[in-house]
Amino acid sequence: MYRFLLTPRWWGINLFVVLAIPFCVFMGTWQLGRFEDRVQSHEQAEKAPDPSTRAAKPLDELLPVDKVTSGRPATATGTYADQFLVPGRKLEDRQGFYVLNMLRTDSGKALPVVRGWLPGSATDARVPAAPKGEVTVTGDLQASENTHSDGVNVRGGLPSGQVGMISAATLVNLVPYDVYDAWVTLPEAEAGGTGGAMKPVPAAAPEGSGLDLKAFQNLGYTGEWFVFAAFVLFMWFRLVRREAEAERDIALGLVPEEAAAEAADPASETVDAAETAEAPDAAEGAPKDAPEDPSSPDYDVASTPVR
């Protein structure tokens, strides 16, 4: 009864099922692994001490920024140079902007330093001046922002002196010197009251270390891939059962082989439907009172009226 599984048509169906199910299972397992990694990173981050409480180290010893060094206090010495404002940043549910200054170090490269946050609009804002001369700053280390970071403005069109993203790739086009692929945020207001009006910007947790929306998206994708695998298997069993029932009906003589073949061949149904659609058109084209053809075998001579 199941010899039809060895036909060329069913070889193609079976090959698709054999390849599709393992692929769906693999993708579901991979997405589940991504979710478990995020859960593990979140648990480790909660158990680990606050990075800002650890001893400060020179900036070069903490680069490049990763999940371990993100948030660690870093020290750098240099002089403040160009200043930029970063609009559209919230702090304590209030809209405002960051004050960003470039700290030129002895290496020639500049470190972006967020000196603080101010409420309101960045346009025509009165910003406290940066300290003069050589300074040593200690701030919480942060990785360069990207398009997925909170508060980033990727639309462009900002006025001169404003940037939408704290990133080396963005800042290097605005200053005539190299920029570190990192930035720091000062945990306290600057000494001497220069930045007393500004509020410190807390360091953000590194990306991928918390149970955010992306983590639960991975969990949702896991369920989808396993549902796809189950659907493929269900459809295969349904097709096999339908074909087996048709073979059984033919063997018992309940359905003629020609009718079963037409039912199994979708092309025949299409041709029949097309012929049925064309038949009324042909009938409508013929005159209603057209005389019958005497040569036709159905022509009744006796019924012909005699004049």
Side-chain angles (χ1 to χ4, degrees):
M1 182 181 295
Y2 294 97
R3 292 180 180 178
F4 61 85
L5 293 175
L6 301 178
T7 59
R9 180 169 68 93
W10 274 96
W11 268 111
I13 296 176
N14 295 335
L15 180 62
F16 171 78
V17 173
V18 169
L19 295 178
I21 292 179
F23 176 76
C24 292
V25 172
F26 168 77
M27 292 300 297
T29 305
W30 179 72
Q31 291 288 353
L32 181 60
R34 293 288 302 274
F35 175 75
E36 291 176 346
D37 290 342
R38 289 179 178 271
V39 172
Q40 185 177 4
S41 299
H42 177 68
E43 292 177 350
Q44 292 176 352
E46 287 187 339
K47 295 179 181 179
D50 188 355
S52 61
T53 61
R54 305 180 67 176
K57 287 188 175 183
L59 174 66
D60 293 331
E61 296 183 13
L62 300 177
L63 296 178
V65 184
D66 54 21
K67 293 182 180 179
V68 177
T69 60
S70 179
R72 288 281 302 272
T75 60
T77 302
T79 56
Y80 282 119
D82 297 272
Q83 177 173 282
F84 300 96
L85 304 181
V86 188
R89 299 305 175 100
K90 288 185 177 181
L91 185 63
E92 299 175 355
D93 293 332
R94 297 179 62 191
Q95 195 71 27
F97 58 94
Y98 293 166
V99 179
L100 175 70
N101 282 81
M102 308 299 292
L103 182 72
R104 297 203 62 178
T105 63
D106 296 335
S107 64
K109 299 178 69 173
L111 174 66
V113 178
V114 174
R115 295 169 48 219
W117 174 90
L118 287 172
S121 174
T123 305
D124 300 329
R126 299 182 60 182
V127 179
K132 302 293 184 180
E134 188 177 75
V135 295
T136 298
V137 299
T138 301
D140 297 333
L141 188 63
Q142 300 279 266
S144 291
E145 295 181 334
N146 53 56
T147 55
H148 301 290
S149 301
D150 293 337
V152 167
N153 182 358
V154 296
R155 294 174 297 178
L158 295 175
S160 177
Q162 297 186 21
V163 293
M165 181 188 306
I166 307 175
S167 169
T170 302
L171 294 170
V172 74
N173 298 319
L174 303 177
V175 294
Y177 39 80
D178 293 334
V179 180
Y180 280 104
D181 190 16
W183 57 283
V184 298
T185 174
L186 300 183
E188 298 178 356
E190 296 169 346
T194 305
M198 295 187 293
K199 291 186 177 181
V201 176
E207 291 187 4
S209 62
L211 294 179
D212 53 4
L213 179 60
K214 293 181 180 179
F216 290 101
Q217 284 180 344
N218 293 131
L219 186 61
Y221 295 151
T222 300
E224 288 182 359
W225 281 113
F226 285 120
V227 169
F228 290 158
F231 178 75
V232 171
L233 191 61
F234 166 76
M235 291 302 299
W236 183 83
F237 275 112
R238 183 176 180 180
L239 292 175
V240 170
R241 181 179 178 182
R242 180 179 179 182
E243 191 83 5
E245 290 177 351
E247 293 285 342
R248 183 190 60 188
D249 293 343
I250 294 174
L252 296 176
L254 300 177
V255 179
E257 295 186 6
E258 295 78 2
E262 291 179 0
D265 187 7
S268 63
E269 297 180 1
T270 304
V271 173
D272 293 342
E275 293 178 353
T276 304
E278 292 176 357
D281 296 339
E284 291 177 1
K288 295 182 179 179
D289 300 331
E292 297 182 358
D293 186 1
S295 62
S296 174
D298 296 333
Y299 185 75
D300 189 359
V301 178
S303 63
T304 305
V306 178
R307 300 183 181 276

